[in-house]
Coordinates of all heavy atoms in Angstrom, one line a residue:
I726 N -20.5 -16.9 -30.3 CA -20.4 -17.5 -31.6 C -21.8 -18.1 -31.8 O -22.3 -18.9 -31.0 CB -19.4 -18.6 -31.7 CG1 -18.0 -18.1 -31.4 CG2 -19.4 -19.3 -33.1 CD1 -17.6 -17.0 -32.5
T727 N -22.4 -17.9 -33.0 CA -23.7 -18.5 -33.3 C -23.5 -19.4 -34.5 O -22.8 -18.9 -35.5 CB -24.7 -17.4 -33.7 OG1 -24.9 -16.5 -32.6 CG2 -26.1 -18.0 -34.1
A728 N -23.9 -20.6 -34.4 CA -23.6 -21.6 -35.5 C -24.9 -22.5 -35.7 O -25.5 -22.9 -34.7 CB -22.4 -22.4 -35.2
S729 N -25.0 -22.9 -36.9 CA -26.0 -23.9 -37.2 C -25.5 -24.9 -38.2 O -24.7 -24.6 -39.1 CB -27.3 -23.2 -37.7 OG -27.1 -22.5 -38.9
G730 N -26.0 -26.2 -38.2 CA -25.7 -27.2 -39.0 C -26.7 -28.2 -39.2 O -27.9 -28.0 -38.8
I731 N -26.4 -29.3 -39.8 CA -27.3 -30.3 -40.2 C -27.1 -31.5 -39.3 O -25.9 -31.9 -39.1 CB -27.0 -30.7 -41.6 CG1 -27.2 -29.6 -42.6 CG2 -28.1 -31.9 -42.1 CD1 -28.5 -29.1 -43.0
V732 N -28.2 -32.1 -38.8 CA -28.1 -33.4 -38.0 C -27.4 -34.5 -38.8 O -27.6 -34.6 -40.0 CB -29.5 -33.8 -37.6 CG1 -29.4 -35.3 -37.1 CG2 -30.1 -32.9 -36.7
Q734 N -24.1 -34.5 -39.6 CA -23.0 -33.9 -40.3 C -22.2 -33.1 -39.2 O -22.7 -32.2 -38.6 CB -23.4 -33.0 -41.4 CG -22.1 -32.5 -42.1 CD -22.5 -31.6 -43.3 OE1 -23.6 -31.0 -43.4 NE2 -21.6 -31.4 -44.3
P735 N -21.0 -33.5 -38.9 CA -20.2 -32.8 -37.9 C -20.0 -31.3 -38.2 O -19.8 -31.0 -39.3 CB -18.8 -33.5 -37.9 CG -18.9 -34.8 -38.5 CD -20.1 -34.6 -39.6
L736 N -20.1 -30.5 -37.2 CA -20.0 -29.1 -37.3 C -18.9 -28.7 -36.4 O -18.7 -29.1 -35.2 CB -21.4 -28.4 -36.8 CG -21.2 -26.9 -36.9 CD1 -21.2 -26.5 -38.3 CD2 -22.5 -26.3 -36.2
Y737 N -18.0 -27.9 -36.9 CA -16.8 -27.5 -36.2 C -16.8 -26.0 -35.9 O -17.1 -25.2 -36.7 CB -15.5 -27.7 -37.0 CG -15.3 -29.2 -37.3 CD1 -15.9 -29.9 -38.3 CD2 -14.5 -30.0 -36.5 CE1 -15.8 -31.2 -38.6 CE2 -14.2 -31.4 -36.6 CZ -14.9 -31.9 -37.8 OH -14.7 -33.2 -38.0
V738 N -16.8 -25.7 -34.5 CA -16.8 -24.3 -34.1 C -15.6 -23.9 -33.3 O -15.1 -24.6 -32.4 CB -18.1 -24.2 -33.1 CG1 -18.2 -22.8 -32.5 CG2 -19.4 -24.6 -33.7
Q779 N -13.8 -20.5 -37.6 CA -14.9 -19.7 -37.0 C -16.1 -20.8 -36.9 O -16.4 -21.1 -35.8 CB -15.3 -18.5 -37.9 CG -16.3 -17.6 -37.1 CD -15.6 -16.8 -36.0 OE1 -14.6 -17.0 -35.5 NE2 -16.3 -15.8 -35.6
V780 N -16.7 -21.2 -38.0 CA -17.7 -22.3 -38.1 C -17.5 -22.9 -39.5 O -17.5 -22.2 -40.5 CB -19.1 -21.7 -38.0 CG1 -20.1 -22.8 -38.1 CG2 -19.3 -21.0 -36.6
T781 N -17.4 -24.2 -39.5 CA -17.3 -25.0 -40.7 C -17.7 -26.4 -40.6 O -17.8 -27.0 -39.5 CB -15.9 -24.9 -41.3 OG1 -15.8 -25.4 -42.6 CG2 -14.9 -25.7 -40.4
T782 N -17.9 -27.1 -41.7 CA -18.1 -28.4 -41.8 C -16.9 -29.1 -42.5 O -16.8 -30.4 -42.5 CB -19.3 -28.9 -42.6 OG1 -19.3 -28.3 -43.9 CG2 -20.6 -28.4 -41.8
L809 N -19.0 -30.9 -33.1 CA -20.3 -31.2 -32.6 C -21.0 -32.1 -33.4 O -21.1 -31.9 -34.6 CB -21.1 -29.9 -32.6 CG -20.4 -28.7 -31.8 CD1 -21.1 -27.4 -32.0 CD2 -20.2 -29.0 -30.3
T814 N -32.3 -33.4 -33.8 CA -32.4 -31.9 -33.7 C -31.9 -31.5 -32.3 O -32.4 -32.0 -31.4 CB -33.7 -31.3 -34.1 OG1 -34.1 -31.8 -35.4 CG2 -33.8 -29.9 -34.0
V815 N -31.1 -30.5 -32.2 CA -30.6 -30.0 -31.0 C -30.3 -28.5 -31.0 O -29.8 -28.0 -32.0 CB -29.3 -30.9 -30.5 CG1 -28.2 -30.7 -31.4 CG2 -29.0 -30.5 -29.1
L816 N -30.5 -27.9 -29.8 CA -30.1 -26.5 -29.6 C -29.2 -26.5 -28.3 O -29.6 -27.2 -27.3 CB -31.4 -25.6 -29.3 CG -31.1 -24.1 -29.0 CD1 -30.3 -23.6 -30.2 CD2 -32.4 -23.5 -28.7
A817 N -28.1 -25.9 -28.4 CA -27.2 -26.0 -27.3 C -26.5 -24.6 -26.9 O -26.2 -23.8 -27.9 CB -26.0 -27.1 -27.6
I819 N -23.1 -23.4 -25.3 CA -21.8 -24.0 -24.9 C -21.0 -22.8 -24.2 O -20.8 -21.8 -24.8 CB -21.0 -24.6 -26.0 CG1 -21.9 -25.6 -26.8 CG2 -19.6 -25.0 -25.6 CD1 -21.2 -26.0 -28.2
A842 N -20.9 -20.1 -27.2 CA -21.4 -20.5 -28.6 C -22.9 -21.0 -28.4 O -23.2 -21.8 -27.4 CB -20.6 -21.6 -29.2
V843 N -23.7 -20.5 -29.3 CA -25.0 -21.0 -29.4 C -25.2 -21.8 -30.6 O -25.0 -21.2 -31.7 CB -26.0 -19.8 -29.4 CG1 -27.5 -20.3 -29.5 CG2 -25.9 -19.0 -28.0
V844 N -25.5 -23.1 -30.6 CA -25.4 -24.0 -31.8 C -26.8 -24.6 -31.9 O -27.4 -25.1 -31.0 CB -24.3 -25.0 -31.6 CG1 -24.3 -25.9 -32.7 CG2 -23.0 -24.3 -31.4
S845 N -27.3 -24.7 -33.2 CA -28.4 -25.5 -33.4 C -28.1 -26.5 -34.6 O -27.4 -26.0 -35.6 CB -29.6 -24.6 -33.9 OG -29.2 -23.9 -35.0
L846 N -28.4 -27.7 -34.4 CA -28.3 -28.7 -35.5 C -29.8 -29.2 -35.9 O -30.6 -29.5 -34.9 CB -27.5 -29.9 -35.0 CG -26.1 -29.6 -34.7 CD1 -25.3 -30.8 -34.2 CD2 -25.3 -29.1 -35.8
V847 N -30.1 -29.0 -37.1 CA -31.6 -29.3 -37.4 C -31.5 -30.4 -38.6 O -30.5 -30.7 -39.3 CB -32.2 -28.1 -38.0 CG1 -32.4 -27.1 -36.8 CG2 -31.5 -27.4 -39.2
Q848 N -32.7 -31.0 -38.8 CA -32.9 -32.0 -39.9 C -32.8 -31.3 -41.3 O -33.2 -30.1 -41.3 CB -34.2 -32.7 -39.8 CG -34.3 -33.6 -38.5 CD -33.4 -34.8 -38.6 OE1 -32.9 -35.2 -39.5 NE2 -33.3 -35.4 -37.4
Q851 N -35.2 -28.4 -42.8 CA -36.1 -27.7 -41.8 C -35.7 -26.2 -41.7 O -34.6 -25.8 -42.1 CB -35.8 -28.2 -40.4 CG -36.6 -29.4 -40.1 CD -36.4 -29.8 -38.7 OE1 -35.5 -29.5 -38.0 NE2 -37.4 -30.6 -38.2

Side-chain angles (χ1 to χ4, degrees):
I726 302 296
T727 304
S729 59
I731 308 276
V732 169
Q734 182 178 24
L736 182 67
Y737 296 83
V738 178
Q779 194 69 348
V780 176
T781 189
T782 56
L809 309 171
T814 298
V815 63
L816 179 61
I819 302 170
V843 177
V844 178
S845 63
L846 298 177
V847 297
Q848 295 291 343
Q851 281 187 340

